[in-house]
Amino acid sequence: AVLDTGIDTDHPQLMDDLVAERCTCQNPSSGCSSCCPGGVNSAEDGNGHGTHVSGIITSPSGVAPDAGIVAVKVLSDSGSGCSSGVLEGLDWVLSQVQNKNLDIKVINMSLGGGLFSSTCDSSDPLMAQALNSLKANGVATFAASGNDGLSNRLNSPACMSAAISVGATNDT
């Protein structure tokens, strides 16, 4: 499952990989009201980031080209979102796993906020609970550590004890 800005459902290298889609996006600029123009069953990407991430995963040259994508739009087309929308997306994924509707083994969240120098479960107990429940149900959650190049702090939810933090590296 990719929790991000959605997916371009017509992308020629991704459309055959799309297993399911859901929108739980809430826009902070409008008081966390819904930003699901196609309704809850559409995760159409108006930003490109979620499509890019999905391509890294399942395109023919991706890291898991035979995997399917469950696209969950939790971020608006401007790339912002509310924690409540992310939590709703995680809860939806958990319900799909528990009800055996979808065989989801991995979640990718290339999103985050705040900076923490240690485990941050206490800063957002609802997020910690959601990630712990997913882990208990056999779902590994990968989250972006942040784009700030910091070596001593992580964004949330990457700082949660049940998350696996992922960061980029370069030669500098």
Side-chain angles (χ1 to χ4, degrees), residues 72-97:
V72 184
K73 182 179 178 80
V74 298
L75 300 176
S76 71
D77 291 346
S78 67
S80 61
C82 296
S83 180
S84 53
V86 176
L87 287 169
E88 187 178 337
L90 291 170
D91 287 344
W92 180 81
V93 169
L94 180 60
S95 73
Q96 298 305 299
V97 170

Side-chain angles (χ1 to χ4, degrees), residues 36-48:
C36 299
V40 296
N41 294 316
S42 173
E44 194 63 46
D45 188 356
N47 176 284

Side-chain angles (χ1 to χ4, degrees), residues 5-21 42-46 48 50-52 54-55 58 69 71:
T5 60
I7 190 169
D8 177 355
T9 58
D10 298 319
H11 194 287
Q13 292 185 338
L14 300 176
M15 62 188 198
D16 291 340
D17 299 329
L18 187 58
V19 174
E21 53 186 309
S42 173
E44 194 63 46
D45 188 356
T51 300
H52 179 79
S54 296
T58 67
I69 293 287

Side-chain angles (χ1 to χ4, degrees), residues 4-165:
D4 208 296
T5 60
I7 190 169
D8 177 355
T9 58
D10 298 319
H11 194 287
Q13 292 185 338
L14 300 176
M15 62 188 198
D16 291 340
D17 299 329
L18 187 58
V19 174
E21 53 186 309
R22 185 72 170 188
C23 183
T24 61
C25 175
Q26 296 174 1
N27 195 339
S29 66
S30 62
C32 291
S33 63
S34 176
C35 50
C36 299
V40 296
N41 294 316
S42 173
E44 194 63 46
D45 188 356
N47 176 284
H49 190 267
T51 300
H52 179 79
V53 170
S54 296
I56 290 170
I57 298 168
T58 67
S59 70
S61 60
V63 295
D66 296 328
I69 293 287
V70 174
V72 184
K73 182 179 178 80
V74 298
L75 300 176
S76 71
D77 291 346
S78 67
S80 61
C82 296
S83 180
S84 53
V86 176
L87 287 169
E88 187 178 337
L90 291 170
D91 287 344
W92 180 81
V93 169
L94 180 60
S95 73
Q96 298 305 299
V97 170
Q98 289 177 328
N99 294 325
K100 300 187 184 332
N101 295 332
L102 296 170
D103 185 24
I104 300 170
K105 299 291 185 205
V106 176
I107 292 175
N108 180 87
M109 293 191 293
S110 184
L111 52 83
L115 289 172
F116 298 86
S117 58
S118 62
T119 304
C120 64
D121 293 35
S122 62
S123 71
D124 190 346
L126 294 176
M127 181 69 69
Q129 180 183 6
L131 297 184
N132 285 327
S133 295
L134 286 157
K135 184 177 179 180
N137 280 273
V139 180
T141 303
F142 292 82
S145 62
N147 293 330
D148 301 317
L150 302 173
S151 62
N152 60 351
R153 291 182 283 174
L154 298 172
N155 278 339
S156 179
C159 56
M160 298 280 166
S161 60
I164 300 164
S165 66

